[in-house]
Each structure stands twice: as structure tokens, then as C-alpha cells.
Amino acid sequence: MPDSVAAAQAGVRPELWRGQEALRLTTAQGDTALVTLQGAQVLSWVAGGRERLYLSPEAVADGQTAIRGGIPLCFPQFNQRGPLPKHGFARNLPWEADAPEQDAKGRTLQRLRLADSPRSWAWWPETFVAELTLTLGDGELQVVLAVENPGATPWEFTTALHSYLRVEDVASAQVHGLDGCARWDAVTDQRLVQPGPVGFAGEYDSVFQAPPSRHLWLQDGIHRLDIHQSDSLPQAVVWNPGAALCSRLADLPPEGWRQMLCVEAAAIDAPVCLGPGERWTGWQHLRVA
Ligand code: TA6
């Protein structure tokens, strides 16, 4: 394809995902990402002609129920570690999209924003602005979360970029880079140290201290995905429901667990405290090796 034609297709255009407002990001070489306004949730990332994220075919698309798959954002609470609904409410609310941009490297960039409103006050009284910036380049996707406190009193949050990575077969997938890292096994409630790569044979749900390099990689057969995360996200969560839990999750097909593996960048163990006027950022970067 001539460069001029390819470049003309790069950018962002609106699209509907099962009736829900979404944006399709495209690079000059034809990689794409799809993000819904609900939750600023990336639902698809196609790099090199291959889908890299898992989206459940049974995901609910009603504009407010958490969408099963892609990259949900857990904010301002991770899981049930607090009084809010599980994983907070940012994934349930509609976000606003800014005009798309290109960065200095020619990558496609899209910002989405969520500010406190009567809907968020129903769960959480705080004044906040959350901004999610997606940067799509050839073979890479970066997700940056920025959180600001424009109010007059300090507050705390926990968060995760809860990425559902697509795998051919989770039984033969491995997550590398966590050797020697402290691990809390949420299934058995044990504190352990990880020996070697992480493999999967049944339900798996663990919170790791991320390694100092903040670099993990997923090996899925011959496919490798490099995963970096910011120092401000000091935990990595690895989750696969396995067959039994999967069969109890109405929005996953019975065999869905085989094709998904969540590798999440998170700030969980020590909540982030933001004083008036303060801003925090955290990111996860995915790159096809
Ligand atoms: O991050 C892992 C986890 O907290 C698991 O414990 C599991 O519950 C998962 O998230 C999915 O949560 P959800 O609310 O989206 O069903």
C-alpha cells in the first residue's frame, strides 16, 4: 500500500461496539485498538494482524455493567479492598473523549476523561479527575492513567490496569520476570516467593510485588509479549479463573478461561494518597516482541 494511502487511514474514528459508543484507533501500518467510552476500556488491540486482548463473547453491553475483557480500569478501589463496589466504579461510567492526536513518533493518541459527578458521589464523595491516555504505535500499546485531586481534602485510592491478554492455550502459557518476587496467593491465602516462571493448571489469582525492572513477559507458544509498568504501580496481578470458577461467571463462555490471562499493573498494597492539587500517573506498556 502506498505510504500516502496508509497514512490517510491512521487516526481515530467513532464506531459502535454492540450499540455502545467506541473509538477505533489505527496506525499507519494497520494496527488497531478499540476503546469504549464506558470505562475508557480498551476492548481490542490488533497488532501485526493478531488480536492480543481477550474479550468475552458473553460480555454484557448495556452501557453500565462491567465489560468482561479487554483492559478494564479498576478505580478508585481494587477488588473488594474497601467499601466501594468491586474494582470501583470507573469501569461502569461513561467517559468523555478528547480530540485525537499524534505524538512526536507518529503514534495515535487518544485521551479520555472522567470527573466526579452525582453518579460517582453516590458511591464516593471525593472530587477527582481521571484521565486515561492510549498511545497506539506499530506493535505497541501504552495505557497511562493520570489521577488528580482538584478538591480541598486529601483522599486515597487503589487501582489496576486489569489487562485480559489473549492466549492460545493458558495451560502452555507462562509469565516470566517474576522469579524471586513476593506473591500473595488469593486462592489459598498464602504468602510465598515465586520460583521461576508462572504456569497455569487451574484457578490462579495472585498479587506479586513487581520486580525492580518492572518488566514481565508473556510467552504464549511462539508468541511473546513484553509488559512494562511504571514504578508507581508496584504490584502485578496475575489471574485466570480456571474451569470451575469460569463456569460460574455468567459473562464468560465455559471454555473462555483457556484463551485469557490477566496480567495487571496495580497499586494495591499501599493506597495512593493524593492531597489537594496533586496528580499521580501510572502506566502499562505492551509490546509485541
Ligand atoms: O484482579 C483479579 C481479580 O481481582 C480476581 O480476584 C477476579 O475476581 C477478577 O479480578 C475479576 O473481577 P470481576 O469483578 O471483573 O469479575
Side-chain angles (χ1 to χ4, degrees):
M1 190 187 297
D3 280 355
S4 55
V5 175
Q9 293 173 344
V12 179
R13 61 173 198 281
E15 191 173 305
L16 286 181
W17 171 74
R18 298 180 48 201
Q20 303 300 317
E21 283 185 89
L23 296 168
R24 172 76 62 184
L25 284 67
T26 304
T27 67
Q29 287 185 26
D31 283 7
T32 68
L34 183 70
V35 57
T36 44
L37 297 196
Q38 181 193 331
Q41 188 159 334
V42 181
L43 298 187
S44 163
W45 171 39
V46 177
R50 190 181 153 79
E51 177 60 69
R52 308 288 169 168
L53 300 180
Y54 177 82
L55 174 63
S56 170
E58 311 290 341
V60 179
D62 63 5
Q64 54 184 13
T65 302
I67 300 170
R68 176 74 65 194
I71 310 183
L73 168 63
C74 306
F75 175 84
Q77 176 184 296
F78 178 78
N79 208 321
Q80 287 164 312
R81 298 184 182 213
L84 301 181
K86 187 177 175 195
H87 288 326
F89 50 76
R91 63 180 181 167
N92 307 97
L93 294 181
W95 290 50
E96 285 182 10
D98 286 1
E101 294 169 43
Q102 278 206 330
D103 73 3
K105 295 181 181 165
R107 298 179 298 186
T108 305
L109 197 143
Q110 177 67 56
R111 282 198 180 83
L112 299 106
R113 214 177 298 275
L114 178 73
D116 61 288
S117 70
R119 288 183 73 180
S120 69
W121 300 332
W123 291 295
W124 200 48
E126 313 302 353
T127 306
F128 71 93
V129 179
E131 185 183 86
L132 197 90
T133 305
L134 302 176
T135 305
L136 182 70
D138 292 315
E140 59 166 332
L141 175 67
Q142 181 160 41
V143 183
V144 183
L145 172 66
V147 180
E148 267 179 54
N149 178 357
T153 51
W155 39 257
E156 292 186 340
F157 67 94
T158 51
T159 188
L161 298 166
H162 195 303
S163 306
Y164 285 70
L165 306 177
R166 171 171 281 277
V167 291
E168 298 215 322
D169 178 5
V170 75
S172 55
Q174 286 188 324
V175 177
H176 294 256
L178 291 164
D179 183 29
C181 293
R183 162 165 98 93
W184 175 63
D185 187 322
V187 179
T188 61
D189 191 16
Q190 280 179 291
R191 293 196 178 272
L192 305 157
V193 173
Q194 176 61 30
V198 181
F200 305 93
E203 182 180 355
Y204 192 94
D205 192 354
S206 287
V207 178
F208 292 87
Q209 282 309 315
S213 65
R214 299 291 195 261
H215 175 215
L216 315 182
W217 70 98
L218 169 66
Q219 195 69 47
D220 173 31
I222 59 163
H223 303 287
R224 170 174 162 151
L225 188 73
D226 279 299
I227 305 164
H228 286 88
Q229 65 197 64
S230 58
D231 286 337
S232 56
L233 293 169
Q235 279 83 49
V237 183
V238 179
W239 180 57
N240 179 278
L245 176 56
C246 187
S247 70
R248 300 197 298 274
L249 296 173
D251 57 357
L252 270 174
E255 298 297 313
W257 61 278
R258 293 184 190 278
Q259 264 78 58
M260 58 159 278
L261 182 63
C262 290
V263 182
E264 310 164 32
I268 302 170
D269 287 349
V272 180
C273 184
L274 274 191
E278 287 184 341
R279 180 180 167 97
W280 170 96
T281 59
W283 51 262
Q284 187 186 52
H285 183 265
L286 307 174
R287 181 188 287 278
V288 175

